[in-house]
Amino acid sequence: MNKRITVLSGDCIGPEITAQGILALEAVAKVFGHRFDFCEVPFGGAAVDACGVPFPDETRRACEEADAVLLGSVGGPKWDGLPKELRPEKGLLQMRSALGLFGNLRPAKLHPQLAFACPLRPEIVEKGIDIMTVRELTGGIYFGAHETRQQDGQRIATDLMIYSEGEIDRILRVGFEAARKRRGRLTSVEKSNVLDCSRLWRERAHALSTEYPDVELIDMLVDNAAMQLVRDPSQFDVIVTENMFGDILSDESSMIVGSIGMMPSASLRNDSFGVYEPIHGSAPDIAGKDLANPIGTILSAAMMLRYSFSMAQEADAVERAVSEVLDTGLRTADIMSGGMKQVGCREMGRAIAAAIRA
Ligand code: IPM
Ligand code: MG
């Protein structure tokens, strides 16, 4: 197969990790006889520097013309002082919205080799952690009106959380479908004891659940969910939730599987196109030092193979290669422990690419 992949490396450690994602995809192409064409375009702070805006039209076109997008990370102190419309993070939100990527999958699975890196007690970890968070990505408080105004001699800020039934239903369906293919448990996370958006959410979840009799639906308030994730993460199969709750809970779930550096994600819509990125940020403190963990990006590339290209065997091969390399004891700094061999981003990437076999 021939596929076009647009690469948005972004800022700070972005180029270092996407380089390793590309290396893994090139290894897959070679081993399985595919052709992947990569096209790199500016995004985030790099695009602000090159074109004056974080998500230029040219970048948008390059995404629209591709079969899938591999993204690194955006943001850094250099751009923190910019007006909010020009911040690299704004470019990320514009990209998600412009491309209609409403469904964000964030799998958190504990690699047994990294069990020690999990901050939870062994008897909690023993039961296994394998959670798929389905985060709504183009609505809610991220995309409602934001305003800071002057009133009665002080500033007042408002951020509007807004959801339509249509937006709620389409993400809930992603959750039900995912649970159906996994262990059949869907935890719908909201705050219906306080928020109207959440009451509508809970009502729609129950309405749709009649179409998925094979899936067990569990309602959970977000504060309780945050607590349950560390009390007993084995109770979760698929979590479906709105944009901001998903942002917060996916960082929490990344920590309980050892390191945020390990966590991939896929941002999808109702066709095969998707944007694939690690969930961690741009890590300005370690940028350019060959210290970043490329595994989140490499596993994101595996998700690209699985979800956008329907290449399940190829995706399995990448995930197996990651696991094999962890077995050999190679570790980046964030997952390092006694008796293991610490390597940089490049060496980790090379080792994984070399371990990809049919
Ligand atoms: C994420 C990030 C982004 C978000 C930021 C960088 C805008 O935290 O992808 O989780 O909040 O969605
Ligand atoms: Mg986040």
Side-chain angles (χ1 to χ4, degrees), residues 89 92-93 96 106 135 142 247:
E89 292 82 358
L92 185 62
L93 301 186
R96 290 170 178 171
R106 298 191 159 188
R135 170 188 177 193
Y142 274 65
D247 178 46

Side-chain angles (χ1 to χ4, degrees), residues 74 89-90 92-93 96 104 106 135 137 142 243 247 250-251 277-279:
V74 296
E89 292 82 358
K90 183 73 183 184
L92 185 62
L93 301 186
R96 290 170 178 171
N104 186 215
R106 298 191 159 188
R135 170 188 177 193
L137 203 60
Y142 274 65
N243 205 342
D247 178 46
S250 60
D251 267 34
E277 58 175 309
I279 80 154

Side-chain angles (χ1 to χ4, degrees), residues 49-334:
D49 292 348
C51 323
V53 286
F55 185 50
D57 289 341
E58 172 215 337
T59 297
R60 178 183 174 154
R61 270 194 301 277
C63 293
E64 279 164 352
E65 283 161 11
D67 296 303
V69 174
L70 183 69
L71 197 161
S73 54
V74 296
K78 182 174 176 197
W79 306 280
D80 277 347
L82 289 177
K84 65 183 182 186
E85 286 307 307
L86 289 181
R87 284 185 62 116
E89 292 82 358
K90 183 73 183 184
L92 185 62
L93 301 186
Q94 286 168 341
M95 188 269 294
R96 290 170 178 171
S97 178
L99 301 175
L101 301 164
F102 66 88
N104 186 215
L105 307 185
R106 298 191 159 188
K109 194 170 175 172
L110 185 70
H111 287 82
Q113 302 94 325
L114 299 185
F116 80 91
C118 174
L120 305 180
R121 286 198 310 274
E123 65 267 29
I124 299 176
V125 182
E126 236 160 52
K127 295 201 268 174
I129 305 174
D130 181 3
I131 304 168
M132 174 69 86
T133 299
V134 175
R135 170 188 177 193
E136 201 290 326
L137 203 60
T138 52
I141 198 165
Y142 274 65
F143 291 94
H146 306 288
E147 189 195 38
T148 307
R149 62 175 190 277
Q150 200 70 35
Q151 191 176 311
D152 304 329
Q154 61 177 337
R155 282 173 306 160
I156 295 186
T158 53
D159 299 279
L160 178 67
M161 183 187 276
I162 175 166
Y163 270 111
S164 69
E165 285 181 286
E167 287 175 304
I168 295 172
D169 283 12
R170 69 180 180 178
I171 193 68
L172 284 170
R173 284 189 191 283
V174 176
F176 278 109
E177 297 288 342
R180 174 170 271 178
K181 291 194 203 113
R182 290 170 47 105
R183 302 191 300 280
R185 275 171 75 89
L186 179 66
T187 307
S188 166
V189 171
E190 28 73 356
K191 186 74 184 170
S192 56
N193 53 351
V194 176
L195 303 175
D196 267 44
C197 282
S198 289
R199 277 190 281 273
L200 189 56
W201 183 281
R202 186 179 284 213
E203 201 191 298
R204 293 311 305 159
H206 284 268
L208 291 185
S209 74
T210 59
E211 293 174 39
Y212 300 89
D214 50 327
V215 175
E216 182 192 359
L217 172 67
I218 299 132
D219 300 309
M220 197 176 280
L221 298 175
V222 63
D223 48 352
N224 185 29
M227 188 262 282
Q228 295 296 337
L229 267 172
V230 290
R231 194 189 69 88
D232 177 17
S234 72
Q235 69 185 284
F236 295 102
D237 176 14
V238 177
I239 291 175
V240 64
T241 191
E242 65 90 46
N243 205 342
M244 189 166 65
F245 298 161
D247 178 46
I248 298 167
L249 294 182
S250 60
D251 267 34
E252 188 184 2
S253 63
S254 77
M255 193 58 226
I256 63 177
V257 296
S259 167
I260 195 165
M262 301 289 299
M263 282 261 300
S265 82
S267 303
L268 306 169
R269 55 193 196 196
N270 282 326
D271 59 11
S272 63
F273 178 81
V275 172
Y276 299 85
E277 58 175 309
I279 80 154
H280 60 71
S282 60
D285 53 323
I286 58 165
K289 297 183 180 159
D290 194 34
L291 279 175
N293 184 347
I295 295 179
T297 311
I298 292 169
L299 292 174
S300 299
M303 292 185 87
M304 176 189 294
L305 295 166
R306 196 179 299 287
Y307 292 100
S308 281
F309 305 163
S310 296
M311 296 180 183
Q313 280 183 5
E314 290 84 337
D316 289 344
V318 174
E319 287 165 1
R320 226 175 17 243
V322 168
S323 191
E324 262 180 53
V325 168
L326 291 175
D327 281 338
T328 66
L330 295 198
R331 299 285 187 273
T332 44
D334 57 318

